[in-house]
Amino acid sequence: MKKFLFPLLASLTLLFNCDVADKLTKFDLNLQTNYTIEPTVLVDSPFNTFTPDVTTESESTFQNNNTNKDLIESIKLSRIQLTIDTPADGNFNFLKEIHVYIEAEGLEEIEIANRFELENSNSLTLGLDVLGQELKEYLKKDSYSLRVQTTTDETISETHEIIIDTRFRVDAKILGI
């Protein structure tokens, strides 16, 4: 009986430690940018706006999490939320549909989030549906930019400044684990 007890305990300990180690190799990378929607009289016509380049500071973020870009296994967008900064009384009622695309130097543009058939909710914030794309190569770059394609169902008479908060889930090998 003792012959079987030690291998069983050793296997359980190893399995538990692997799960703990796996959780230690994951961390979140939170980045923020903004974009502007100018007043428009067009309705039901998609138009594009671009964000300024987003500096990833990935090297220092990876170092702070005891890893480096060569040890990154996966980076995926886990959350994206839009917030109206101005006008103070603004809301997202003018939106019918929205798509967000990412691009970085040397990489093709891909869609990372969207939302369709938006209801009028008078909300200052809007969460988008994340598409689950692998973004490791984009976030390993020094910077990336976003293109926001918007379709409105109402005219807007004021400029809207919108903040984009993103959370990326990083899965890395930490200290070679």
Side-chain angles (χ1 to χ4, degrees), residues 35 37 40 42-49 82 92-101 111 113-120 126-129 131 147-154 156 162:
Y35 74 102
I37 297 178
T40 180
L42 294 176
V43 176
D44 287 330
S45 294
F47 60 92
N48 295 304
T49 52
L82 309 180
F92 284 107
N93 289 355
F94 65 90
L95 279 182
K96 177 179 182 181
E97 184 174 301
I98 187 166
H99 301 265
V100 180
Y101 301 84
E111 186 174 7
N114 59 40
R115 187 94 180 260
F116 299 94
E117 304 299 326
L118 290 160
E119 300 291 326
N120 289 350
L126 177 65
L128 302 184
D129 298 324
L131 300 181
R147 177 173 64 92
V148 181
Q149 183 182 54
T150 303
T151 303
T152 61
D153 59 4
E154 298 176 10
I156 54 174
I162 299 173

Side-chain angles (χ1 to χ4, degrees), residues 12-53:
L12 288 173
T13 302
L14 184 60
L15 179 63
F16 175 73
N17 287 337
C18 288
D19 287 341
V20 170
D22 189 47
K23 289 180 184 174
L24 292 174
T25 64
K26 295 179 181 170
F27 58 93
D28 289 328
L29 177 61
N30 297 305
L31 298 169
Q32 187 179 82
T33 189
N34 61 343
Y35 74 102
T36 302
I37 297 178
E38 299 293 336
T40 180
V41 294
L42 294 176
V43 176
D44 287 330
S45 294
F47 60 92
N48 295 304
T49 52
F50 297 88
T51 67
D53 283 351

